[in-house]
Amino acid sequence: MPLSERSLKMTDMRFNRLALLARKAGMDLLAEARVAVFGVGGVGSWTAEALARSGVGRIDLIDADVVAESNINRQLMALSSTVGEPKAEVLRRRLLDINHSADVRVRIERYTSANADTFDLTEYTHVVDAIDSLADKALLILRATSTPHLKFYSSMGAAQKLDPSKIRVDEFWKVKGCALAAALRRRFKKSGDYPRRKFKCVFSEEQSRPRFSDADPDVSGAMMYDKVAVNGAVCHITAIFGMTLGSLVINDVLSRRD
């Protein structure tokens, strides 16, 4: 779809509050941006929502999972009526209902070493990593930071947290108090294969809450993606993570107006 069809008009009531901040130059830049969100669960679904409501014109959603009842407490597109449907496809319908001019593409698959070469990261202006699997996440970090001119942002662990005031943004090697970031750093050091450049992460400094064995969920049939365990998570944390990632993209795009 050409820019002229995606561009947000200053008179479009859906985005008139955006226009007051972004001006026409910013709105055109947002319409032209192309963003990939890898993983559209508790964090990535809210990132995609922020992008669509902020006029980002081209959004790719990459996720292999389907909506489960256990997703309803924290994932944007998870409803009783959408259980069993592919998450990315449900989310695509919602984003197009927000902005029918957007170009929203879906890949219902997991990003892994087996298919990473089929993803051309050079076609994106921004990539957001909201992947759960440690191996897949590490691979995307390495590939994205090796792609010239690509702006890349990553979510660290949002599970076992309750305090939104502890959520921060910082460069990956400066992240503190996050077990996922620590595990990624150990993996990079062990392999000797490091990210090629610095990148910003959303994380929480809050000490992880204990995991109570008397509340272990039934995960039969769930897609575990190599997770060792299923951890607790709440909407107000995962949503703030996702919205913060969206803000990093939006603010970067708007910074190029002048």
Side-chain angles (χ1 to χ4, degrees):
M1 184 184 300
L3 173 60
S4 59
E5 294 180 32
R6 288 193 308 275
S7 186
L8 306 176
K9 295 179 174 59
M10 300 287 282
T11 55
D12 189 333
M13 291 299 292
R14 293 170 302 161
F15 297 105
N16 66 348
R17 297 299 195 275
L18 172 65
L20 293 173
L21 277 172
R23 306 196 308 271
K24 185 179 187 305
M27 294 170 75
D28 286 347
L29 287 169
L30 288 165
E32 185 63 9
R34 184 167 185 184
V35 185
V37 182
F38 285 80
V40 294
V43 171
S45 60
W46 298 96
T47 299
E49 176 92 350
L51 298 175
R53 290 189 184 274
S54 299
V56 171
R58 298 182 292 179
I59 305 170
D60 283 20
L61 309 172
I62 300 96
D63 197 300
D65 208 354
V66 298
V67 176
E69 281 190 308
S70 60
N71 302 148
I72 292 175
N73 81 307
R74 69 198 182 282
Q75 298 188 14
L76 182 73
M77 64 281 143
L79 306 167
S80 297
S81 60
T82 61
V83 169
E85 295 187 56
K87 292 179 181 179
E89 186 55 48
V90 177
L91 189 55
R92 177 181 182 273
R93 295 200 302 267
R94 179 181 174 91
L95 301 190
L96 290 174
D97 204 13
I98 293 167
N99 181 8
H100 57 77
S101 298
D103 177 13
V104 183
R105 304 191 308 184
V106 164
R107 288 187 65 162
I108 303 176
E109 56 187 307
R110 175 181 168 188
Y111 181 85
T112 68
S113 58
N115 68 358
D117 288 341
T118 69
F119 290 85
D120 181 7
L121 299 184
T122 64
E123 65 182 1
Y124 301 111
T125 59
H126 301 76
V127 163
V128 175
D129 156 42
I131 292 174
D132 288 334
S133 161
L134 184 66
D136 300 344
K137 191 178 200 74
L139 177 62
L140 180 58
I141 289 172
L142 293 175
R143 292 290 183 97
T145 58
S146 298
T147 304
H149 312 299
L150 176 67
K151 295 294 291 188
F152 173 69
Y153 303 108
S154 181
S155 173
M156 296 295 107
Q160 302 298 106
K161 313 283 186 176
L162 286 173
D163 186 353
S165 71
K166 301 293 186 182
I167 297 172
R168 304 282 186 268
V169 176
D170 212 335
E171 194 273 320
F172 172 68
W173 294 99
K174 296 180 179 179
V175 171
K176 300 176 181 177
C178 177
L180 178 56
L184 284 165
R185 289 194 288 257
R186 288 194 299 269
R187 186 182 185 94
F188 293 141
K189 289 176 181 177
K190 183 177 180 180
S191 68
D193 197 2
Y194 291 91
R196 299 301 188 268
R197 63 175 185 269
K198 295 179 179 180
F199 61 97
K200 288 183 178 180
C201 300
V202 178
F203 69 102
S204 172
E205 292 181 331
E206 181 184 4
Q207 183 176 354
S208 292
R209 304 276 174 159
R211 186 174 180 276
F212 298 109
S213 59
D214 62 350
D216 280 350
D218 178 6
V219 296
S220 57
M223 300 178 82
M224 292 289 287
Y225 297 126
D226 302 327
K227 295 179 186 176
V228 175
V230 174
N231 292 310
V234 293
C235 182
H236 66 266
I237 297 294
T238 60
I240 293 172
F241 266 62
M243 289 289 180
T244 304
L245 286 162
S247 78
L248 292 171
V249 174
I250 294 157
N251 287 330
D252 179 72
V253 173
L254 293 181
S255 72
R256 306 176 189 211
R257 282 177 303 188
D258 304 317

